[in-house]
Amino acid sequence: MSEQREPVGVIGVGWVGLVTAACFAELGHPVVARDILPEKVEALSRGELTIHEPGLADLVRRNAERLTFTTDMAELLDRARLLFVCVDTPPTYSGDADLSRVRSVVEELPADSEHVLIMKSTVPAGTGESIRRDRPGLPYVSCPEFLKEGTAVADFMNPDRVVIGADTGDEEAGDAVARLYEPLGGEILRTDVASAEMIKLASNAFLATKISFINEIANVCEEVGADVGEVARGMGLDERIGSSFLRAGIGYGGSCFPKDVSALKMLAGNTGYHFQLLTAVIEVNELQKRRVVAKLQRHLGSLIDKRVALLGLAFKPDTDDMREASSLVLAARLQGEGAEVVAYDPVASERAGELLSSVELAGSAVEALAGADAAVLVTEWGEFAELDWGEVASSMSRALLVDGRNFLDPEKLRAAGFEYEGIGKKQEIGAPS
Ligand code: UGA
């Protein structure tokens, strides 16, 4: 039965490309996924994954017969008409998105190509129009991705919505993409290319705005003795506001929000429009990562030669992604203040090691915390809730913990002998209760 399904081509086997390829294979489509890096293609062909994403390795192995990895563009073009472009569009120094990889994919398509180019990579609004101008006759569809790292497979299989942007003349291409997603059951929104591109950027920018907003509320809560968790709960019960993305913490990170917020701000700026709100969203996020240092200083005074343990390094749990992780800024700031930084992450240590100079990487949370003058919970990995905090307290030089994600139970920590500080909670300065 699988051989009757429309073959799918994927260009760029990063995180988005691999999830897309594996999930379409799981839905029964023959999939050819092409990447320019031979070592990546060889590893994937052996069933070895280069990224940590729950459920993905199983999917790749289970669908090995339907899923081919190659470096050869000709093989891809030969075997699939529908081509998902999943190459990365990293920020340039100016904050604009770097479209060079997208452009080289387009250049690789033969002039008389009858393929359908389906843009999954996040690109500024207007990119589709310029590609269509350069390559008239090449069917073009914008189909932005809304996957979250850590739950990407589940998000793909149960989408809230699938956005399909196709302009006049490309209706059939849009229909072909819609058919691929129909079995998943999410709402399929058909629109034009520029609107589809804007939906992606606006969605990420809005979610980032929600986070920066609740982080500012948290900072005010600390001043007035309110608890941001309670405030967010009360706000979220208003269905116009909604309860998601109102978790205060030490700022958003990852490969998407920082890049997309800045790309949208730049996109607006390039048209002569100053997107003031996003400037503040970015600034609040930067400052939020740094506030933890001030919290530690309030308790410890100078941080010179103080040993600070960071629990978690990845930008969020269930991923080893270190891109724009708050831990990077925090570690650098702590070192800048003269602290000695030790860190532990269940899966991101290897990647983090390449980025963090002079940070001691411990083999476990218990090892990182032993002898430390303070701890900061940076990433809310489930295993941190399971630690024997009483034992940890007695192993530390000073049982002080700043919970950067409001993840641990303050009462439990205090009962274990900790001075505990969260984000957006009444501040506790002085001896443990
Ligand atoms: C985000 C979007 O949620 C996806 O819909 C989108 O497809 C993706 O970007 C993308 O453009 O590729 P992701 O970056 O994987 O997904 O991670 P999120 O779960 O959205 O978290 C982003 C950051 O915000 C993390 O650092 C997280 O800790 C932080 N966050 C999230 C908060 O600080 N508070 C919250 O309430 C929620």
Side-chain angles (χ1 to χ4, degrees), residues 145-149 200 204 207 211 245-247 251-253 256-257 260 315-316 405:
E145 60 93 7
F146 299 103
L147 311 174
K148 299 182 287 302
E149 290 189 30
K200 166 68 188 191
N204 273 2
L207 292 170
I211 298 171
F245 278 72
L246 287 181
R247 278 181 288 116
Y252 60 78
C256 305
F257 285 175
D260 293 350
F315 86 97
K316 68 175 192 177
R405 299 289 172 188

Side-chain angles (χ1 to χ4, degrees), residues 143-165:
C143 182
E145 60 93 7
F146 299 103
L147 311 174
K148 299 182 287 302
E149 290 189 30
T151 56
V153 172
D155 291 345
F156 185 99
M157 293 299 182
N158 306 289
D160 289 340
R161 81 299 208 187
V162 175
V163 174
I164 297 178

Side-chain angles (χ1 to χ4, degrees), residues 37-54:
L37 297 176
E39 59 278 12
K40 188 188 267 188
V41 166
E42 282 157 24
L44 287 167
S45 302
R46 290 193 300 269
E48 291 163 20
L49 266 63
T50 43
I51 49 169
H52 175 88
E53 181 63 39

